[in-house]
Amino acid sequence: MRVMGVDPGLTRCGVGVVDGSPGKPLRLVHVTVVRTSPDDEIAARLLGIETGIEALMEEFRPDAVAVERVFSQHNVRTVMGTAQAAGVAMLIAARRGLPVAMHTPSEAKAAVTGNGRADKAQVTKMVTRLLRLDAAPKPADAADALALAICHVWRGGAQARIAAARTRTRGVGL
């Protein structure tokens, strides 16, 4: 399974693509950060994110997209921009008919480190180790995107099977 992880942000939107399946070694396909200028209007920034992610989806053709679930922060402007960038990524995936999963930062951290409260350095270290990379992905947004992709490879398949089983059992007299 090829998963594209997206760590949404208006200035830096991390995008990581990983191949793998539960119980098998993971392989890094690509990692990058789509950047926009904070001096640009919000619409232009969202267009820049859309253009960058669209090109990456076209080039790497993921089977699924994992996006960080936006959580409440104290800075409403930061939350809004992050949510808007996440929406752009989900829209592009939906347009292509790709399944989209949302994982919280704690879920991604727990998946790669075993600790949902791990700091960025721990996440980066484990992503580097799990993907057998010579150097850590930088900046942290890139490592976070890879952690989301890894989380989905390991947990997404099980979640999809559970959802499919629920769908099959609806309407069945149990």
Side-chain angles (χ1 to χ4, degrees):
M1 170 194 283
R2 178 166 286 182
V3 177
M4 175 179 281
V6 179
D7 180 37
L10 279 178
T11 304
R12 292 180 320 273
C13 183
V15 181
V17 182
V18 171
D19 281 342
S21 60
K24 305 276 186 189
L26 299 163
R27 184 177 74 83
L28 171 68
V29 175
H30 185 76
V31 66
T32 191
V33 175
V34 176
R35 297 175 188 272
T36 67
S37 171
D39 297 330
D40 290 346
E41 295 290 326
I42 185 74
R45 295 176 79 184
L46 292 171
L47 180 60
I49 291 166
E50 189 270 343
T51 302
I53 294 174
E54 181 71 45
L56 292 165
M57 282 198 194
E58 181 64 28
E59 182 175 355
F60 297 107
R61 306 228 178 244
D63 299 310
V65 178
V67 179
E68 183 177 290
R69 182 180 302 274
V70 179
F71 61 96
S72 179
Q73 295 175 345
H74 298 293
N75 186 341
V76 174
R77 276 182 51 151
T78 301
V79 171
M80 290 301 295
T82 302
Q84 290 166 329
V88 167
M90 291 186 289
L91 174 67
I92 297 165
R95 198 182 288 141
R96 291 173 167 270
L98 296 173
V100 176
M102 299 189 74
H103 299 286
T104 65
S106 294
E107 286 175 303
K109 290 173 181 182
V112 299
T113 70
N115 176 3
R117 297 176 148 239
D119 63 25
K120 288 198 178 284
Q122 291 170 307
V123 171
T124 299
K125 182 177 181 177
M126 285 306 298
V127 164
T128 304
R129 182 175 292 162
L130 291 167
L131 294 172
R132 300 172 312 282
L133 303 176
D134 294 332
K138 290 184 181 172
D141 309 278
D144 290 349
L146 290 169
L148 286 159
I150 293 167
C151 176
H152 191 70
V153 166
W154 288 348
R155 296 180 173 192
Q159 290 170 344
R161 287 190 297 278
I162 291 167
R166 284 184 182 143
T167 301
R168 284 192 302 271
T169 60
R170 283 192 189 121
V172 176
L174 294 178

